[in-house]
PDB file of all heavy atoms in Angstrom:
ATOM      1  N   LEU A   1       0.792  -1.222   0.032  1.00 87.00           N
ATOM      2  CA  LEU A   1      -0.014  -0.003  -0.023  1.00 87.00           C
ATOM      3  C   LEU A   1       0.888   1.294  -0.019  1.00 87.00           C
ATOM      4  O   LEU A   1       0.585   2.177  -0.733  1.00 87.00           O
ATOM      5  CB  LEU A   1      -0.972  -0.050   1.197  1.00 87.00           C
ATOM      6  CG  LEU A   1      -1.929   1.147   1.304  1.00 87.00           C
ATOM      7  CD1 LEU A   1      -2.882   1.085   0.138  1.00 87.00           C
ATOM      8  CD2 LEU A   1      -2.784   0.923   2.586  1.00 87.00           C
ATOM      9  N   ASP A   2       1.954   1.218   0.819  1.00 90.00           N
ATOM     10  CA  ASP A   2       2.827   2.400   0.938  1.00 90.00           C
ATOM     11  C   ASP A   2       3.555   2.647  -0.454  1.00 90.00           C
ATOM     12  O   ASP A   2       3.666   3.817  -0.989  1.00 90.00           O
ATOM     13  CB  ASP A   2       3.876   2.202   1.946  1.00 90.00           C
ATOM     14  CG  ASP A   2       3.192   2.281   3.406  1.00 90.00           C
ATOM     15  OD1 ASP A   2       2.079   2.786   3.464  1.00 90.00           O
ATOM     16  OD2 ASP A   2       3.906   1.733   4.337  1.00 90.00           O
ATOM     17  N   LYS A   3       3.941   1.455  -1.141  1.00 90.00           N
ATOM     18  CA  LYS A   3       4.560   1.627  -2.431  1.00 90.00           C
ATOM     19  C   LYS A   3       3.631   2.155  -3.548  1.00 90.00           C
ATOM     20  O   LYS A   3       4.057   3.036  -4.374  1.00 90.00           O
ATOM     21  CB  LYS A   3       5.125   0.295  -2.933  1.00 90.00           C
ATOM     22  CG  LYS A   3       6.481  -0.047  -2.042  1.00 90.00           C
ATOM     23  CD  LYS A   3       7.180  -1.250  -2.620  1.00 90.00           C
ATOM     24  CE  LYS A   3       8.421  -1.528  -1.844  1.00 90.00           C
ATOM     25  NZ  LYS A   3       9.189  -2.512  -2.436  1.00 90.00           N
ATOM     26  N   ALA A   4       2.364   1.705  -3.370  1.00 92.00           N
ATOM     27  CA  ALA A   4       1.343   2.133  -4.403  1.00 92.00           C
ATOM     28  C   ALA A   4       1.095   3.671  -4.159  1.00 92.00           C
ATOM     29  O   ALA A   4       0.962   4.379  -5.222  1.00 92.00           O
ATOM     30  CB  ALA A   4       0.074   1.432  -4.254  1.00 92.00           C
ATOM     31  N   ARG A   5       0.984   4.054  -3.015  1.00 92.00           N
ATOM     32  CA  ARG A   5       0.866   5.490  -2.708  1.00 92.00           C
ATOM     33  C   ARG A   5       1.944   6.315  -3.272  1.00 92.00           C
ATOM     34  O   ARG A   5       1.785   7.541  -3.852  1.00 92.00           O
ATOM     35  CB  ARG A   5       0.626   5.744  -1.207  1.00 92.00           C
ATOM     36  CG  ARG A   5      -0.783   5.341  -0.734  1.00 92.00           C
ATOM     37  CD  ARG A   5      -0.912   5.692   0.748  1.00 92.00           C
ATOM     38  NE  ARG A   5      -2.284   5.251   1.238  1.00 92.00           N
ATOM     39  CZ  ARG A   5      -2.516   4.814   2.430  1.00 92.00           C
ATOM     40  NH1 ARG A   5      -1.543   4.762   3.271  1.00 92.00           N
ATOM     41  NH2 ARG A   5      -3.705   4.362   2.694  1.00 92.00           N
ATOM     42  N   ALA A   6       3.198   5.860  -3.042  1.00 92.00           N
ATOM     43  CA  ALA A   6       4.391   6.648  -3.473  1.00 92.00           C
ATOM     44  C   ALA A   6       4.336   6.565  -5.030  1.00 92.00           C
ATOM     45  O   ALA A   6       4.681   7.684  -5.572  1.00 92.00           O
ATOM     46  CB  ALA A   6       5.646   5.956  -2.940  1.00 92.00           C
ATOM     47  N   ALA A   7       4.017   5.568  -5.631  1.00 92.00           N
ATOM     48  CA  ALA A   7       3.975   5.504  -7.112  1.00 92.00           C
ATOM     49  C   ALA A   7       2.899   6.477  -7.628  1.00 92.00           C
ATOM     50  O   ALA A   7       3.073   7.159  -8.746  1.00 92.00           O
ATOM     51  CB  ALA A   7       3.776   4.135  -7.580  1.00 92.00           C
ATOM     52  N   LYS A   8       1.797   6.530  -6.953  1.00 92.00           N
ATOM     53  CA  LYS A   8       0.694   7.415  -7.300  1.00 92.00           C
ATOM     54  C   LYS A   8       1.166   8.927  -7.201  1.00 92.00           C
ATOM     55  O   LYS A   8       0.738   9.792  -8.129  1.00 92.00           O
ATOM     56  CB  LYS A   8      -0.581   7.198  -6.449  1.00 92.00           C
ATOM     57  CG  LYS A   8      -1.767   8.013  -6.868  1.00 92.00           C
ATOM     58  CD  LYS A   8      -2.882   7.784  -5.891  1.00 92.00           C
ATOM     59  CE  LYS A   8      -4.062   8.711  -6.171  1.00 92.00           C
ATOM     60  NZ  LYS A   8      -5.134   8.752  -5.241  1.00 92.00           N
ATOM     61  N   GLU A   9       1.835   9.148  -6.160  1.00 93.00           N
ATOM     62  CA  GLU A   9       2.313  10.610  -6.078  1.00 93.00           C
ATOM     63  C   GLU A   9       3.220  10.897  -7.107  1.00 93.00           C
ATOM     64  O   GLU A   9       3.225  12.076  -7.576  1.00 93.00           O
ATOM     65  CB  GLU A   9       3.051  10.693  -4.677  1.00 93.00           C
ATOM     66  CG  GLU A   9       1.935  10.683  -3.455  1.00 93.00           C
ATOM     67  CD  GLU A   9       2.634  10.653  -2.156  1.00 93.00           C
ATOM     68  OE1 GLU A   9       3.880  10.791  -2.083  1.00 93.00           O
ATOM     69  OE2 GLU A   9       1.940  10.684  -1.081  1.00 93.00           O
ATOM     70  N   LYS A  10       4.173   9.938  -7.466  1.00 92.00           N
ATOM     71  CA  LYS A  10       5.088  10.301  -8.542  1.00 92.00           C
ATOM     72  C   LYS A  10       4.419  10.467  -9.829  1.00 92.00           C
ATOM     73  O   LYS A  10       4.678  11.404 -10.645  1.00 92.00           O
ATOM     74  CB  LYS A  10       6.191   9.139  -8.643  1.00 92.00           C
ATOM     75  CG  LYS A  10       7.168   9.151  -7.577  1.00 92.00           C
ATOM     76  CD  LYS A  10       8.126   7.966  -7.745  1.00 92.00           C
ATOM     77  CE  LYS A  10       9.211   7.833  -6.554  1.00 92.00           C
ATOM     78  NZ  LYS A  10      10.101   6.798  -6.766  1.00 92.00           N
ATOM     79  N   VAL A  11       3.405   9.614 -10.116  1.00 92.00           N
ATOM     80  CA  VAL A  11       2.728   9.796 -11.441  1.00 92.00           C
ATOM     81  C   VAL A  11       2.000  11.155 -11.453  1.00 92.00           C
ATOM     82  O   VAL A  11       1.931  11.778 -12.452  1.00 92.00           O
ATOM     83  CB  VAL A  11       1.791   8.566 -11.518  1.00 92.00           C
ATOM     84  CG1 VAL A  11       0.701   8.849 -12.653  1.00 92.00           C
ATOM     85  CG2 VAL A  11       2.571   7.349 -11.889  1.00 92.00           C
ATOM     86  N   GLU A  12       1.360  11.491 -10.385  1.00 92.00           N
ATOM     87  CA  GLU A  12       0.630  12.828 -10.262  1.00 92.00           C
ATOM     88  C   GLU A  12       1.596  13.952 -10.533  1.00 92.00           C
ATOM     89  O   GLU A  12       1.361  14.940 -11.125  1.00 92.00           O
ATOM     90  CB  GLU A  12      -0.149  12.893  -9.038  1.00 92.00           C
ATOM     91  CG  GLU A  12      -1.347  12.079  -8.958  1.00 92.00           C
ATOM     92  CD  GLU A  12      -2.053  12.064  -7.646  1.00 92.00           C
ATOM     93  OE1 GLU A  12      -1.535  12.689  -6.618  1.00 92.00           O
ATOM     94  OE2 GLU A  12      -3.242  11.476  -7.549  1.00 92.00           O
ATOM     95  N   MET A  13       2.783  13.871  -9.901  1.00 92.00           N
ATOM     96  CA  MET A  13       3.836  14.965 -10.096  1.00 92.00           C
ATOM     97  C   MET A  13       4.160  14.950 -11.561  1.00 92.00           C
ATOM     98  O   MET A  13       4.368  16.203 -12.046  1.00 92.00           O
ATOM     99  CB  MET A  13       4.997  14.604  -9.107  1.00 92.00           C
ATOM    100  CG  MET A  13       6.057  15.651  -9.126  1.00 92.00           C
ATOM    101  SD  MET A  13       7.516  15.404  -8.088  1.00 92.00           S
ATOM    102  CE  MET A  13       8.125  13.994  -8.888  1.00 92.00           C
ATOM    103  N   VAL A  14       4.487  13.917 -12.229  1.00 91.00           N
ATOM    104  CA  VAL A  14       4.977  13.924 -13.536  1.00 91.00           C
ATOM    105  C   VAL A  14       3.731  14.475 -14.410  1.00 91.00           C
ATOM    106  O   VAL A  14       3.971  15.254 -15.315  1.00 91.00           O
ATOM    107  CB  VAL A  14       5.341  12.515 -14.057  1.00 91.00           C
ATOM    108  CG1 VAL A  14       5.558  12.394 -15.446  1.00 91.00           C
ATOM    109  CG2 VAL A  14       6.635  12.081 -13.304  1.00 91.00           C
ATOM    110  N   ARG A  15       2.525  13.982 -14.184  1.00 91.00           N
ATOM    111  CA  ARG A  15       1.372  14.459 -14.938  1.00 91.00           C
ATOM    112  C   ARG A  15       1.231  16.051 -14.763  1.00 91.00           C
ATOM    113  O   ARG A  15       1.050  16.732 -15.807  1.00 91.00           O
ATOM    114  CB  ARG A  15       0.087  13.810 -14.435  1.00 91.00           C
ATOM    115  CG  ARG A  15      -1.116  14.257 -15.160  1.00 91.00           C
ATOM    116  CD  ARG A  15      -2.468  13.869 -14.490  1.00 91.00           C
ATOM    117  NE  ARG A  15      -2.476  14.714 -13.247  1.00 91.00           N
ATOM    118  CZ  ARG A  15      -3.210  14.482 -12.196  1.00 91.00           C
ATOM    119  NH1 ARG A  15      -3.966  13.324 -12.198  1.00 91.00           N
ATOM    120  NH2 ARG A  15      -3.203  15.195 -11.149  1.00 91.00           N
ATOM    121  N   ASP A  16       1.369  16.539 -13.546  1.00 91.00           N
ATOM    122  CA  ASP A  16       1.290  18.060 -13.496  1.00 91.00           C
ATOM    123  C   ASP A  16       2.392  18.739 -14.160  1.00 91.00           C
ATOM    124  O   ASP A  16       2.137  19.780 -14.809  1.00 91.00           O
ATOM    125  CB  ASP A  16       1.306  18.337 -11.951  1.00 91.00           C
ATOM    126  CG  ASP A  16       0.136  17.915 -11.121  1.00 91.00           C
ATOM    127  OD1 ASP A  16      -0.924  17.608 -11.780  1.00 91.00           O
ATOM    128  OD2 ASP A  16       0.189  17.723  -9.949  1.00 91.00           O
ATOM    129  N   THR A  17       3.630  18.194 -14.125  1.00 92.00           N
ATOM    130  CA  THR A  17       4.783  18.868 -14.829  1.00 92.00           C
ATOM    131  C   THR A  17       4.541  18.865 -16.325  1.00 92.00           C
ATOM    132  O   THR A  17       4.667  19.803 -17.007  1.00 92.00           O
ATOM    133  CB  THR A  17       6.114  18.045 -14.461  1.00 92.00           C
ATOM    134  OG1 THR A  17       6.217  18.049 -13.051  1.00 92.00           O
ATOM    135  CG2 THR A  17       7.174  18.740 -15.130  1.00 92.00           C
ATOM    136  N   VAL A  18       4.031  17.605 -16.822  1.00 90.00           N
ATOM    137  CA  VAL A  18       3.866  17.572 -18.273  1.00 90.00           C
ATOM    138  C   VAL A  18       2.771  18.495 -18.693  1.00 90.00           C
ATOM    139  O   VAL A  18       2.779  19.177 -19.759  1.00 90.00           O
ATOM    140  CB  VAL A  18       3.622  16.148 -18.715  1.00 90.00           C
ATOM    141  CG1 VAL A  18       3.033  15.992 -20.071  1.00 90.00           C
ATOM    142  CG2 VAL A  18       4.827  15.302 -18.497  1.00 90.00           C
ATOM    143  N   THR A  19       1.682  18.500 -17.859  1.00 90.00           N
ATOM    144  CA  THR A  19       0.522  19.400 -18.179  1.00 90.00           C
ATOM    145  C   THR A  19       0.936  20.899 -18.190  1.00 90.00           C
ATOM    146  O   THR A  19       0.514  21.680 -19.054  1.00 90.00           O
ATOM    147  CB  THR A  19      -0.580  19.197 -17.211  1.00 90.00           C
ATOM    148  OG1 THR A  19      -0.990  17.830 -17.204  1.00 90.00           O
ATOM    149  CG2 THR A  19      -1.920  20.021 -17.527  1.00 90.00           C
ATOM    150  N   GLY A  20       1.756  21.297 -17.291  1.00 90.00           N
ATOM    151  CA  GLY A  20       2.230  22.637 -17.200  1.00 90.00           C
ATOM    152  C   GLY A  20       3.125  22.972 -18.372  1.00 90.00           C
ATOM    153  O   GLY A  20       2.901  24.013 -19.041  1.00 90.00           O
ATOM    154  N   PHE A  21       4.062  22.035 -18.820  1.00 90.00           N
ATOM    155  CA  PHE A  21       4.858  22.341 -19.965  1.00 90.00           C
ATOM    156  C   PHE A  21       4.011  22.431 -21.354  1.00 90.00           C
ATOM    157  O   PHE A  21       4.213  23.288 -22.136  1.00 90.00           O
ATOM    158  CB  PHE A  21       5.959  21.234 -20.203  1.00 90.00           C
ATOM    159  CG  PHE A  21       7.102  21.391 -19.352  1.00 90.00           C
ATOM    160  CD1 PHE A  21       7.617  20.374 -18.531  1.00 90.00           C
ATOM    161  CD2 PHE A  21       7.825  22.717 -19.233  1.00 90.00           C
ATOM    162  CE1 PHE A  21       8.690  20.533 -17.738  1.00 90.00           C
ATOM    163  CE2 PHE A  21       8.899  22.810 -18.545  1.00 90.00           C
ATOM    164  CZ  PHE A  21       9.352  21.769 -17.734  1.00 90.00           C
ATOM    165  N   ALA A  22       3.048  21.492 -21.357  1.00 89.00           N
ATOM    166  CA  ALA A  22       2.158  21.448 -22.634  1.00 89.00           C
ATOM    167  C   ALA A  22       1.388  22.695 -22.655  1.00 89.00           C
ATOM    168  O   ALA A  22       1.233  23.264 -23.758  1.00 89.00           O
ATOM    169  CB  ALA A  22       1.368  20.294 -22.569  1.00 89.00           C
ATOM    170  N   SER A  23       0.779  23.178 -21.494  1.00 88.00           N
ATOM    171  CA  SER A  23      -0.023  24.460 -21.615  1.00 88.00           C
ATOM    172  C   SER A  23       0.910  25.702 -21.979  1.00 88.00           C
ATOM    173  O   SER A  23       0.457  26.535 -22.787  1.00 88.00           O
ATOM    174  CB  SER A  23      -0.895  24.690 -20.394  1.00 88.00           C
ATOM    175  OG  SER A  23       0.059  24.948 -19.270  1.00 88.00           O
ATOM    176  N   GLU A  24       2.045  25.721 -21.360  1.00 90.00           N
ATOM    177  CA  GLU A  24       2.924  26.928 -21.766  1.00 90.00           C
ATOM    178  C   GLU A  24       3.333  26.853 -23.208  1.00 90.00           C
ATOM    179  O   GLU A  24       3.333  27.821 -23.922  1.00 90.00           O
ATOM    180  CB  GLU A  24       4.186  26.773 -20.824  1.00 90.00           C
ATOM    181  CG  GLU A  24       3.971  27.222 -19.423  1.00 90.00           C
ATOM    182  CD  GLU A  24       3.442  28.717 -19.417  1.00 90.00           C
ATOM    183  OE1 GLU A  24       4.003  29.570 -20.019  1.00 90.00           O
ATOM    184  OE2 GLU A  24       2.697  28.963 -18.571  1.00 90.00           O
ATOM    185  N   TYR A  25       3.659  25.589 -23.683  1.00 88.00           N
ATOM    186  CA  TYR A  25       4.010  25.505 -25.086  1.00 88.00           C
ATOM    187  C   TYR A  25       2.863  25.939 -26.094  1.00 88.00           C
ATOM    188  O   TYR A  25       3.035  26.629 -27.010  1.00 88.00           O
ATOM    189  CB  TYR A  25       4.409  24.098 -25.480  1.00 88.00           C
ATOM    190  CG  TYR A  25       4.873  23.920 -26.829  1.00 88.00           C
ATOM    191  CD1 TYR A  25       6.146  24.281 -27.242  1.00 88.00           C
ATOM    192  CD2 TYR A  25       3.987  23.345 -27.811  1.00 88.00           C
ATOM    193  CE1 TYR A  25       6.594  24.037 -28.559  1.00 88.00           C
ATOM    194  CE2 TYR A  25       4.405  23.118 -29.164  1.00 88.00           C
ATOM    195  CZ  TYR A  25       5.782  23.538 -29.556  1.00 88.00           C
ATOM    196  OH  TYR A  25       6.136  23.377 -30.766  1.00 88.00           O
ATOM    197  N   TYR A  26       1.704  25.401 -25.727  1.00 86.00           N
ATOM    198  CA  TYR A  26       0.452  25.821 -26.404  1.00 86.00           C
ATOM    199  C   TYR A  26       0.295  27.410 -26.510  1.00 86.00           C
ATOM    200  O   TYR A  26       0.075  27.929 -27.492  1.00 86.00           O
ATOM    201  CB  TYR A  26      -0.800  25.130 -25.853  1.00 86.00           C
ATOM    202  CG  TYR A  26      -1.949  25.523 -26.584  1.00 86.00           C
ATOM    203  CD1 TYR A  26      -2.313  24.949 -27.836  1.00 86.00           C
ATOM    204  CD2 TYR A  26      -2.942  26.445 -26.177  1.00 86.00           C
ATOM    205  CE1 TYR A  26      -3.486  25.259 -28.565  1.00 86.00           C
ATOM    206  CE2 TYR A  26      -4.097  26.798 -26.832  1.00 86.00           C
ATOM    207  CZ  TYR A  26      -4.397  26.161 -27.982  1.00 86.00           C
ATOM    208  OH  TYR A  26      -5.490  26.520 -28.646  1.00 86.00           O
ATOM    209  N   ASP A  27       0.391  27.900 -25.259  1.00 86.00           N
ATOM    210  CA  ASP A  27       0.151  29.356 -25.157  1.00 86.00           C
ATOM    211  C   ASP A  27       1.142  30.196 -25.983  1.00 86.00           C
ATOM    212  O   ASP A  27       0.842  31.225 -26.568  1.00 86.00           O
ATOM    213  CB  ASP A  27       0.164  29.879 -23.723  1.00 86.00           C
ATOM    214  CG  ASP A  27      -1.013  29.297 -22.959  1.00 86.00           C
ATOM    215  OD1 ASP A  27      -2.062  28.960 -23.606  1.00 86.00           O
ATOM    216  OD2 ASP A  27      -1.020  29.232 -21.745  1.00 86.00           O
ATOM    217  N   GLU A  28       2.419  29.733 -25.925  1.00 86.00           N
ATOM    218  CA  GLU A  28       3.504  30.426 -26.647  1.00 86.00           C
ATOM    219  C   GLU A  28       3.737  30.201 -28.133  1.00 86.00           C
ATOM    220  O   GLU A  28       4.067  31.101 -28.902  1.00 86.00           O
ATOM    221  CB  GLU A  28       4.904  30.266 -25.866  1.00 86.00           C
ATOM    222  CG  GLU A  28       4.839  30.843 -24.501  1.00 86.00           C
ATOM    223  CD  GLU A  28       6.136  30.447 -23.735  1.00 86.00           C
ATOM    224  OE1 GLU A  28       7.061  29.949 -24.332  1.00 86.00           O
ATOM    225  OE2 GLU A  28       6.228  30.795 -22.477  1.00 86.00           O
ATOM    226  N   HIS A  29       3.449  28.977 -28.498  1.00 84.00           N
ATOM    227  CA  HIS A  29       3.744  28.582 -29.860  1.00 84.00           C
ATOM    228  C   HIS A  29       2.487  28.267 -30.738  1.00 84.00           C
ATOM    229  O   HIS A  29       2.457  28.608 -31.953  1.00 84.00           O
ATOM    230  CB  HIS A  29       4.750  27.361 -29.846  1.00 84.00           C
ATOM    231  CG  HIS A  29       6.042  27.681 -29.185  1.00 84.00           C
ATOM    232  ND1 HIS A  29       6.924  28.365 -29.779  1.00 84.00           N
ATOM    233  CD2 HIS A  29       6.482  27.408 -27.923  1.00 84.00           C
ATOM    234  CE1 HIS A  29       7.933  28.517 -29.028  1.00 84.00           C
ATOM    235  NE2 HIS A  29       7.782  27.847 -27.786  1.00 84.00           N
ATOM    236  N   ILE A  30       1.576  27.571 -30.162  1.00 82.00           N
ATOM    237  CA  ILE A  30       0.437  27.115 -30.959  1.00 82.00           C
ATOM    238  C   ILE A  30      -0.618  28.187 -31.106  1.00 82.00           C
ATOM    239  O   ILE A  30      -1.183  28.389 -32.178  1.00 82.00           O
ATOM    240  CB  ILE A  30      -0.255  25.791 -30.420  1.00 82.00           C
ATOM    241  CG1 ILE A  30       0.898  24.730 -30.171  1.00 82.00           C
ATOM    242  CG2 ILE A  30      -1.378  25.329 -31.138  1.00 82.00           C
ATOM    243  CD1 ILE A  30       1.436  24.208 -31.461  1.00 82.00           C
ATOM    244  N   GLN A  31      -1.033  28.833 -30.003  1.00 82.00           N
ATOM    245  CA  GLN A  31      -2.053  29.760 -30.015  1.00 82.00           C
ATOM    246  C   GLN A  31      -1.961  30.930 -30.963  1.00 82.00           C
ATOM    247  O   GLN A  31      -2.837  31.198 -31.748  1.00 82.00           O
ATOM    248  CB  GLN A  31      -2.373  30.310 -28.652  1.00 82.00           C
ATOM    249  CG  GLN A  31      -3.657  31.095 -28.444  1.00 82.00           C
ATOM    250  CD  GLN A  31      -4.946  30.337 -28.754  1.00 82.00           C
ATOM    251  OE1 GLN A  31      -5.027  29.245 -28.336  1.00 82.00           O
ATOM    252  NE2 GLN A  31      -5.871  30.971 -29.296  1.00 82.00           N
ATOM    253  N   PRO A  32      -0.730  31.513 -31.107  1.00 81.00           N
ATOM    254  CA  PRO A  32      -0.607  32.655 -32.131  1.00 81.00           C
ATOM    255  C   PRO A  32      -0.807  32.116 -33.541  1.00 81.00           C
ATOM    256  O   PRO A  32      -1.401  32.868 -34.376  1.00 81.00           O
ATOM    257  CB  PRO A  32       0.842  33.086 -31.839  1.00 81.00           C
ATOM    258  CG  PRO A  32       1.128  32.710 -30.489  1.00 81.00           C
ATOM    259  CD  PRO A  32       0.414  31.431 -30.157  1.00 81.00           C
ATOM    260  N   THR A  33      -0.337  30.918 -33.901  1.00 82.00           N
ATOM    261  CA  THR A  33      -0.488  30.381 -35.121  1.00 82.00           C
ATOM    262  C   THR A  33      -1.949  30.024 -35.456  1.00 82.00           C
ATOM    263  O   THR A  33      -2.535  30.398 -36.540  1.00 82.00           O
ATOM    264  CB  THR A  33       0.353  29.127 -35.245  1.00 82.00           C
ATOM    265  OG1 THR A  33       1.709  29.389 -35.009  1.00 82.00           O
ATOM    266  CG2 THR A  33       0.278  28.600 -36.697  1.00 82.00           C
ATOM    267  N   VAL A  34      -2.696  29.585 -34.532  1.00 80.00           N
ATOM    268  CA  VAL A  34      -4.130  29.177 -34.673  1.00 80.00           C
ATOM    269  C   VAL A  34      -4.797  30.482 -35.014  1.00 80.00           C
ATOM    270  O   VAL A  34      -5.825  30.420 -35.788  1.00 80.00           O
ATOM    271  CB  VAL A  34      -4.520  28.473 -33.417  1.00 80.00           C
ATOM    272  CG1 VAL A  34      -6.118  28.350 -33.415  1.00 80.00           C
ATOM    273  CG2 VAL A  34      -3.958  27.039 -33.387  1.00 80.00           C
ATOM    274  N   ASP A  35      -4.601  31.561 -34.181  1.00 79.00           N
ATOM    275  CA  ASP A  35      -5.302  32.835 -34.511  1.00 79.00           C
ATOM    276  C   ASP A  35      -5.143  33.320 -35.844  1.00 79.00           C
ATOM    277  O   ASP A  35      -6.143  33.729 -36.557  1.00 79.00           O
ATOM    278  CB  ASP A  35      -4.911  33.794 -33.400  1.00 79.00           C
ATOM    279  CG  ASP A  35      -5.351  33.532 -32.018  1.00 79.00           C
ATOM    280  OD1 ASP A  35      -6.258  32.776 -31.954  1.00 79.00           O
ATOM    281  OD2 ASP A  35      -4.799  34.030 -31.106  1.00 79.00           O
ATOM    282  N   SER A  36      -3.882  33.250 -36.375  1.00 82.00           N
ATOM    283  CA  SER A  36      -3.757  33.767 -37.749  1.00 82.00           C
ATOM    284  C   SER A  36      -4.467  32.883 -38.777  1.00 82.00           C
ATOM    285  O   SER A  36      -4.988  33.331 -39.743  1.00 82.00           O
ATOM    286  CB  SER A  36      -2.245  33.981 -38.034  1.00 82.00           C
ATOM    287  OG  SER A  36      -1.620  32.665 -38.100  1.00 82.00           O
ATOM    288  N   TYR A  37      -4.375  31.611 -38.508  1.00 82.00           N
ATOM    289  CA  TYR A  37      -4.957  30.694 -39.464  1.00 82.00           C
ATOM    290  C   TYR A  37      -6.533  30.793 -39.490  1.00 82.00           C
ATOM    291  O   TYR A  37      -7.215  30.695 -40.425  1.00 82.00           O
ATOM    292  CB  TYR A  37      -4.578  29.160 -39.263  1.00 82.00           C
ATOM    293  CG  TYR A  37      -3.242  28.884 -39.767  1.00 82.00           C
ATOM    294  CD1 TYR A  37      -2.226  28.341 -39.052  1.00 82.00           C
ATOM    295  CD2 TYR A  37      -2.892  29.084 -41.187  1.00 82.00           C
ATOM    296  CE1 TYR A  37      -1.012  27.996 -39.516  1.00 82.00           C
ATOM    297  CE2 TYR A  37      -1.715  28.861 -41.719  1.00 82.00           C
ATOM    298  CZ  TYR A  37      -0.757  28.193 -40.898  1.00 82.00           C
ATOM    299  OH  TYR A  37       0.429  27.951 -41.348  1.00 82.00           O
ATOM    300  N   SER A  38      -7.088  30.935 -38.293  1.00 83.00           N
ATOM    301  CA  SER A  38      -8.582  31.107 -38.194  1.00 83.00           C
ATOM    302  C   SER A  38      -8.972  32.406 -38.836  1.00 83.00           C
ATOM    303  O   SER A  38      -9.993  32.461 -39.434  1.00 83.00           O
ATOM    304  CB  SER A  38      -8.914  31.103 -36.659  1.00 83.00           C
ATOM    305  OG  SER A  38      -8.377  32.120 -35.894  1.00 83.00           O
TER     306      SER A  38
END
């Protein structure tokens, strides 16, 4: 149970990090291009 909780915390930490990077990348690189194409 302890190992499962630790693994869950690591997965959530990685998920939060990846989500943060993806949202920043979208805001800085994808969104301006989408606006001009739209």
